[in-house]
Amino acid sequence: MAQLSFRQVEAFRAVMIAGTTTGAAEILFISQPAVSRLLSDFEDSVKVPLFDRVKKRLVPTPEALILFEEVERSFVGIEKLARTAEELRTFHRGTLRIACMPALAQAFLPQVSREFMELNQGVSMTLQVRSSQQVADWISTQHFDIGFAAVAVTDPSIQTESLARSEMVCILPPGHPLEHKELIEPQDLKDDVFISLGTEHRYKVDDAFETAEVKRKMLFDTQVSHIACSYVLSGSGVSLVDPVTAINFIKQGLVVKPFSVSIPFNYNLIYPATRPVSQLALDFCKLLKTRLKELAEGSDNLFKILVKNE
C-alpha cells in the first residue's frame, strides 16, 4: 500500500462530511479539482473502492463507512489535543498532582486548593496524603508534581525548598489544670495520658522526656497529628504536635501552649530535580506561601512559625 498523506485523509473526511467534492473544497478552502486529486490518490493508496458515483454524487461504500469511523476517531484525538494545547496556553486547564504529609493536609492545604481552583477554573487537582518519607519516595519517582514533607531530603533526584520553620507545641483538653500556664515543661505532663505520634519526630519527643527523666503514661498512639488533636480535645490525654495542625483546632476549644524543649518541625516543599516545575505548580506554591505567612502572622508568634520570605 502506498504511503498515505494527512492531506489525503483530510480530503476523504471532508468529502464524507459534505457529500460532494465541491462541498469538501469549501471546507478545506482549496479548489474542487484539488480535492478530486487527493481523493483519487487516497483510493489508490488504500486499494479499496470507497465511493459509487450516482448522479454526480459520491455514495460511500460500506468500506468507506468503516474507514471513516477510524478517521473520525483519529481526528477527534487531534482536535482534543489542539483544544488542550490552547487551554493550557490560556491557563484554563491543567492537572496538578500533590503529595502531602498529614500535618498540612487536614485543613490548611484543602483550603488553599479550593481557593486555587476557584481562581483557575478548569484546573483539576489530585491530593494524596502519606507520611513525609512516602511523599519523598513519590516525588523521587515523579509520580507527583510537588510534595510537602517534614523530613530533610538528601536524594539528588529531589529539590527541596524550606517553606517554614517551627517548633512542636503542647496541646491540652479544655479545662485542663495547666491551661493557664504560659510554658509547659516535660514534668508537667507526667500524670497525663500522653498521645504519642508515630511519625518522623517521635524520637525527638521521646528524647526530650528521657533527658528530663520524665516517664509518661503511653497508652495511645497514632500516625496522624489531627487524630491526636481530636483525641486530646475529647479529654483523653495530652500531646505534642506541629503548630499548623494545632491552630485548626483552637476554635473547637483545644488549648495550645509552647513547650519548654525546642523540638523543630519544618515544612518543606519538594519536587523532582530532573524536570522543570510547571507554571501551574509555581502559581499554586505562591498562593500557599502567602496563606502560610498570613497564618503565621495571625498566631501572635505563639507558635514560633518562621516563614521563608520571597
Side-chain angles (χ1 to χ4, degrees), residues 164-229:
R165 302 189 308 275
S166 65
E167 296 178 4
M168 296 186 76
V169 294
C170 181
I171 55 173
L172 310 169
H176 191 278
L178 296 172
E179 67 177 348
H180 298 298
K181 188 175 182 183
E182 292 186 5
L183 186 67
I184 305 300
E185 300 175 86
Q187 55 266 30
D188 293 331
L189 306 178
K190 61 183 177 62
D191 295 325
D192 290 282
V193 173
F194 190 88
I195 314 305
S196 182
L197 283 173
T199 66
E200 296 86 355
H201 294 78
R202 170 73 176 264
Y203 75 95
K204 297 179 182 179
V205 174
D206 290 348
D207 185 61
F209 284 93
E210 289 172 6
T211 300
E213 298 182 346
V214 173
K215 188 175 182 180
R216 294 163 291 166
K217 297 179 180 179
M218 308 276 285
L219 301 178
F220 184 84
D221 69 86
T222 178
Q223 294 288 326
V224 185
S225 52
H226 72 262
I227 297 297
C229 288

Side-chain angles (χ1 to χ4, degrees), residues 2-18:
Q3 186 174 5
L4 294 173
S5 72
F6 178 77
R7 199 59 171 164
Q8 291 171 3
V9 176
E10 195 176 35
F12 167 70
R13 178 175 182 261
V15 170
M16 290 293 291
I17 292 172

